[in-house]
Amino acid sequence: MQTQPASAPTPASASAPTPASTATSASASPAGSASPAASTAFRDLVPGIAGMALVGSSVTVSRALVDAPLFATQAVRYAAAALLLFGLARAARVTIHRPRGREWLWLSGIAATGLVLFNVAVVRGVAHAEPAVIAVAVASVPILLGLLGPFLEGRRPSRRVLLAAPVVVAGAVLVEGTGRTDAAGVAWAALALGCEAAFTLLAVPVLRRHGAWGVSVHAVWLGALMLAGLAVAFESPAELSSLGRAQWAAAGYLAVMVTAVAFLLWYRTVAAVGAGRAGLLAGIAPLAAAGAGVLTGSGVPGPAVWLGLLVVIAGLAAGLRPDRAPREGARPTLPA
């Protein structure tokens, strides 16, 4: 769940539960999460909705960092978020397990794709395509998560989710609009989509043992190390001294709300309802971005945005409606 193109209304997010309450739900069992057996209780969706609303709100904030050194600024952001997550986990008495074996690969994959390559794809992509092109590609993530998420969880894809995902994507496209691009822009947009999906899919195998807290902590500090290395190799860390108060404030907001808080909220929902259903909530981000734009004086959205809002809501309602409960008094069929 990352910061999306700054000029495109969009990952990476309503009132969030306190860290303590999130920790309790995320580590209530030895597995660290509820079984993602397709529970769609609204209380399980609230963290993901809040997380995506925070991601959408980051669009306006990120504009302050357009001229900042990419790798160095992001390294500081994720390093600060990692320290905050460690401190909150300690205060909440949440045990952060040390990764072992293949878990290092999954967690490093989350950091490399979702935190590092995603940002590179966005920055390089907007040099070849209008920001809306990248945003529309990323908005297609519910389809990938609906198809691939259940397989990683050992389940079949939900027909309801697969039918609802294109509806949510269509609504997001209406909200974000379209733009011009060349072949390189298409390639960068595809990479951004893959990285956005990987941020969730690569977490599925490790969420059961590490929970939302563990996955967030390890992915963030690993991402901070990778970005710091890139900053040293390709940028001058001294450039950070040129950042003004507004830019530091923007980086702080991204570190606290869009990284530490939003990551925890998002992975909490993925663990509770599964990657496929959680993926539909990506449609919340562009709506939140549009709302944040209104609050910051960018004007009232046009008819296409309002239509997109209705389409996204319809898709979410279709894909996330509660499963039917067994009729009261119904008896299970016993084998003869």
Side-chain angles (χ1 to χ4, degrees):
M1 188 179 306
Q2 315 78 7
T3 304
Q4 307 255 344
S7 57
T10 53
S13 18
S15 176
T18 62
S21 63
T22 306
T24 301
S25 59
S27 57
S29 66
S33 63
S35 173
S39 166
T40 50
F42 183 70
R43 66 178 178 274
D44 293 327
L45 299 174
V46 168
I49 293 172
M52 278 296 162
L54 287 172
V55 170
S57 73
S58 72
V59 174
T60 301
V61 176
S62 297
R63 290 173 181 160
L65 298 174
V66 170
D67 297 325
L70 172 64
F71 297 132
T73 304
Q74 294 297 328
V76 171
R77 165 193 173 181
Y78 288 118
L83 292 174
L84 178 61
L85 285 167
F86 273 120
L88 291 176
R90 186 178 181 87
R93 297 182 179 179
V94 176
T95 300
I96 304 297
H97 298 290
R98 179 184 175 87
R100 60 192 183 193
R102 293 182 180 179
E103 291 176 347
W104 284 107
L105 296 178
W106 296 111
L107 293 166
S108 297
I110 296 171
T113 58
L115 278 61
V116 178
L117 278 178
F118 179 87
N119 283 293
V120 173
V122 169
V123 172
R124 296 291 181 261
V126 296
H128 295 271
E130 294 181 4
V133 175
I134 309 298
V136 166
V138 173
S140 302
V141 74
I143 297 176
L144 283 182
L145 296 184
L147 283 170
L148 302 178
F151 286 113
L152 290 173
E153 295 160 350
R155 298 185 290 110
R156 291 184 177 181
S158 165
R159 181 181 179 185
R160 181 188 302 173
V161 171
L162 292 180
L163 292 175
V167 178
V168 172
V169 171
V173 171
L174 285 171
V175 172
E176 296 172 353
T178 57
R180 293 173 295 177
T181 182
D182 57 22
V186 172
W188 286 115
L191 178 60
L193 170 59
C195 291
E196 179 73 4
F199 178 78
T200 297
L201 294 174
L202 296 181
V204 171
V206 289
L207 269 173
R208 181 165 294 279
R209 177 170 180 262
H210 291 274
W213 280 92
V215 172
S216 298
V217 166
H218 292 305
V220 169
W221 74 258
L222 285 168
L225 283 181
M226 294 176 188
L227 286 161
L230 291 171
V232 171
F234 298 103
E235 296 174 346
S236 172
E239 294 179 22
L240 289 173
S241 61
S242 65
L243 298 185
R245 292 183 179 179
Q247 291 173 310
W248 282 116
Y253 178 83
L254 294 176
V256 176
M257 301 305 296
V258 185
T259 305
V261 175
F263 281 27
L264 284 174
L265 295 175
W266 177 249
Y267 284 134
R268 168 66 182 87
T269 290
V270 173
V273 307
R277 281 177 166 80
L280 295 176
L281 298 178
I284 299 292
L287 306 186
V294 172
L295 294 177
T296 55
S298 63
V300 178
V305 175
W306 291 108
L307 177 60
L309 169 66
L310 296 177
V311 172
V312 169
I313 292 175
L316 292 176
L320 298 175
R321 70 177 186 269
D323 298 322
R324 293 182 180 180
R327 289 182 302 173
E328 188 174 347
R331 296 180 180 179
T333 301
L334 299 176

